[in-house]
Amino acid sequence: MGFNVLLSCVIATLFTSATPPAFDVQGHRGCRGLMPENTIPAFLKALELGVTTLELDVVISKDRQVVVSHEPYFNAAYSITPDGKPVDKKDQKSLLIYRMNYADVKRYDIGSNGNSAYPEQQKIQTYKPLLSEVIEQAEAYRKAHNLPAFSYNIELKSVPSEYNISQPEPAAFCDLVESVINQTLPAERVVIQSFDFAILTHWKQQIDAGKYPNVRLSALIENLRSPQKNIQKLGFKPAIYSPHYKLLNQRRIAQLHEQGISVIPWTVNQLSDMKRLKEWGVDGLITDYPDRAARL
């Protein structure tokens, strides 16, 4: 048994394990429809609303910190610079987190302006947290409110054309994220997802070699290829197949289930779509509005 796997087993005895729920409601970026995305307030609100999984995104800073953020830069739709000025759209992609130390990243306000695409989103001053901080705060909230153990669905934001530009290459990226997980969570409470199959392939190889804990792997899908072709390209059967919800039908869900693969689509925000997908047999869904999903 590799040292990392042994360490994971020890950690698992220190933290409550999670039994996968009958239907997995995942709070997208916490609860983007209600709180500033990928922030501590969003994750705690999602837990208050009863999600069974916190869905979040991670990127890497210049000083190799794992930062919770959807983009590897500061999105002009809601970001404010340290001197109090809104980020200009023409400048946003030059503000690369991969070229900043985390102390500088934390100085940006990503909540006070709100997000016009989500009118229900509360406007509060907040920042991009570290993955370790999200886990620390969420676990403290769980214990304080006596909540059952929930999962973390962590997306590594990786694009092959951006290797060594706005992100590390897959092996280095995975190592940094795995190090945080190993120090904080048991493997059974973690899902690693990515659109970049190189990330998932590397993680699977490390699991098979006994170097990484045996977390669930989720293939994020936004292309029009069939599940069979996507899984063939991936090279192994993931625990979870996670496509855009409009790419699903009842037949595809049944075919994936026949292979022992769970189906959890993204990003489902309308109650009518949630109900239809649940009737079709999906195992859960990712939503910006966990309050709507609670009606299921």
Side-chain angles (χ1 to χ4, degrees):
M1 178 183 292
F3 174 76
N4 283 345
V5 174
L6 178 61
L7 179 60
S8 179
C9 291
V10 173
I11 289 171
T13 67
L14 302 177
F15 296 89
T16 305
S17 63
T19 301
F23 190 77
D24 189 10
V25 176
Q26 301 197 11
H28 186 233
R29 309 186 198 179
C31 52
R32 177 173 57 167
L34 307 173
M35 288 285 185
E37 66 176 66
N38 278 324
T39 64
I40 300 291
F43 297 122
L44 299 188
K45 181 66 176 179
L47 292 175
E48 177 189 324
L49 292 169
V51 301
T52 46
T53 297
L54 294 177
E55 193 273 353
L56 54 97
D57 311 278
V58 294
V59 301
I60 303 299
S61 64
K62 181 180 179 180
D63 51 350
R64 297 172 65 81
Q65 300 297 304
V66 182
V67 182
V68 179
S69 177
H70 184 261
E71 291 86 17
Y73 55 83
F74 283 91
N75 192 321
Y78 51 80
S79 300
I80 302 172
T81 65
D83 59 4
K85 298 177 181 177
V87 169
D88 192 303
K89 191 168 184 177
K90 65 179 173 56
D91 299 327
Q92 63 179 6
K93 291 188 178 180
S94 68
L95 299 172
L96 285 177
I97 293 170
Y98 194 50
R99 305 299 176 191
M100 298 181 187
N101 289 327
Y102 179 66
D104 295 318
V105 171
K106 192 173 180 179
R107 296 175 63 210
Y108 283 74
D109 177 2
I110 60 166
S112 293
N113 273 351
N115 186 330
S116 60
Y118 300 92
E120 294 179 44
Q121 187 184 105
Q122 186 175 333
K123 296 179 181 180
I124 52 173
Q125 185 174 357
T126 189
Y127 59 90
K128 293 183 184 291
L130 295 175
L131 174 60
S132 57
E133 183 184 6
V134 169
I135 295 169
E136 179 185 6
Q137 293 292 323
E139 291 305 298
Y141 186 93
R142 177 179 67 82
K143 293 171 185 175
H145 293 81
N146 198 29
L147 299 178
F150 49 84
S151 293
Y152 295 80
N153 186 5
I154 302 167
E155 179 183 350
L156 277 64
K157 299 302 297 185
S158 181
V159 180
S161 62
E162 290 293 309
Y163 294 169
N164 297 315
I165 298 172
S166 67
Q167 64 169 90
E169 294 191 16
F173 199 162
C174 291
D175 282 349
L176 290 168
V177 175
E178 186 272 342
S179 178
V180 175
I181 293 168
N182 239 333
Q183 295 174 52
T184 54
L185 291 169
E188 61 265 28
R189 291 183 60 195
V190 178
V191 175
I192 294 296
Q193 64 176 353
S194 190
F195 287 102
D196 184 355
F197 284 3
I199 292 284
L200 300 178
T201 300
H202 179 79
W203 205 289
K204 178 69 162 59
Q205 290 170 344
Q206 298 307 299
I207 290 173
D208 291 345
K211 296 179 180 179
Y212 280 12
N214 189 20
V215 302
R216 288 163 284 165
L217 298 177
S218 176
L220 284 168
I221 303 296
E222 59 183 348
N223 62 65
L224 298 176
R225 291 190 293 270
S226 68
Q228 180 182 356
K229 289 183 178 178
N230 279 317
I231 292 169
Q232 185 177 20
K233 182 180 179 183
L234 177 60
F236 66 92
K237 290 182 182 180
I240 301 166
Y241 192 82
S242 190
H244 187 276
Y245 76 96
K246 290 185 178 179
L247 297 174
L248 282 176
N249 56 43
Q250 201 163 5
R251 177 172 159 271
R252 283 188 167 183
I253 294 166
Q255 289 174 337
L256 287 159
H257 283 166
E258 286 171 5
Q259 299 180 71
I261 299 171
S262 296
V263 183
I264 301 179
W266 55 273
T267 300
V268 192
N269 287 338
Q270 300 305 317
L271 187 58
S272 58
D273 293 323
M274 295 177 185
K275 289 179 177 178
R276 182 182 73 257
L277 288 160
K278 190 174 183 184
E279 289 171 359
W280 284 355
V282 297
D283 300 279
L285 53 85
I286 300 170
T287 180
D288 291 317
Y289 298 94
D291 55 329
R292 298 177 187 176
R295 301 178 206 171
L296 294 173

